[in-house]
Amino acid sequence: MTTSSATSTWAAGDYPAMARRLAPAAERAVAAAEPGPGTTVLDVGCGTGNAALAAALTGAAVTAADPTPQLLAIAARRAREADLPIAFQTADADHLTGTYDRVLTVFGAMYAPDAARAADALARCCAPGGRIVTAAWTPDGFMAAANRAMGAYLPPPPAGAQPPTRWGDEAFLRGLFPGHAVTTTTERVRFTFDSPLAAAEFWVRTAGHVQAERARLQAEGAWPALHHDLAAVFTEWNRAAGPGTDPDVRVDAAYLLAVVRPVPDAVRRG
Ligand SMILES: C[S@@+](CC[C@H](N)C(=O)[O-])C[C@H]1O[C@@H](n2cnc3c(N)ncnc32)[C@H](O)[C@@H]1O
């Protein structure tokens, strides 16, 4: 289990509202994993349970892990309401236990501080003949651009910290799984909003790491500028037909979807 401030900020914003918009990515990842009755599934960084619930609906036996208890509680409530028997663990990617036929992580393990260690843990939990499926925002996509805009208003990351979007770089991801067969596709989550400012307000409302700095930014008078800068990113990335059309903002956020299979007798990191 981890209780670092980096993970606790996930509960500081209205992340569940963002999770509802990310559900198509979880469904896509589950489709790539092809679970079903008789298979076991581990969802790493499950958040409010999008992928775990989708996997459980196929009849698979699902375990869902996340270091943020508040999000796990929402996932557990959703599972109860849907009458899906999912097992939950408060754990980050470095503290996974058990072996599973399918190991999923949808925008989850990418936030682990040590990418190689997290990838090793995913590989360790994957049964022989099984499959790991990862989804991660690309380093040159919309999500990275939005994070850069917000990052200008946030404290600098810890020394040596690497961007989570490395997991969305195909070469980097392949390097995380030596001795595995890796296939990738670039997928997109489409976000629509009524205006760039409405988009920025939604983004800031759902971003816990920004909400955690809200009091300081408001005291410094930087809160409106943050929204302005973020709205400009939405304007730059907007692919809607133009003002007055419905929706007024349409942004496609690219992510790398990878299917990783252990190769028998492969040499792994020790
Ligand atoms: C963008 S959310 C994704 C949640 C969910 N998979 C989804 O698709 O909605 C990122 C999640 O990663 C979790 N997380 C943060 N650090 C993590 C770590 N080191 N290992 C695993 N999960 C982590 C957060 O608690 C959060 O639930």
Side-chain angles (χ1 to χ4, degrees), residues 11 30-31 36 47 82 87 89-90 96 102 107 134 138 147-149 160 164 176-177 181 200 205 227 270:
V30 169
Q89 293 179 0
T90 308
L96 303 171
R102 304 287 186 267
F107 315 127
T134 67
T138 60
N147 277 333
R148 274 193 300 277
L176 285 179
F177 294 101
R205 178 165 64 84
H227 287 75

Side-chain angles (χ1 to χ4, degrees), residues 2 4 6-11 15-16 18-23 25-26 43-52 65-69 71-72 78 91-96 104-114 118 122 135 137:
T2 178
S4 76
T7 53
S8 64
T9 58
W10 284 99
Y15 178 73
M18 174 62 86
R20 287 192 284 277
R21 295 202 181 222
L22 300 184
D43 180 14
V44 179
C46 68
T48 59
N50 282 351
D66 198 284
T68 307
L71 299 183
L72 269 181
R78 291 179 70 197
D92 63 22
D94 290 345
H95 296 85
L96 303 171
L104 294 170
T105 186
V106 183
F107 315 127
M110 64 184 287
Y111 295 105
D114 185 331
L122 299 181
W137 305 114

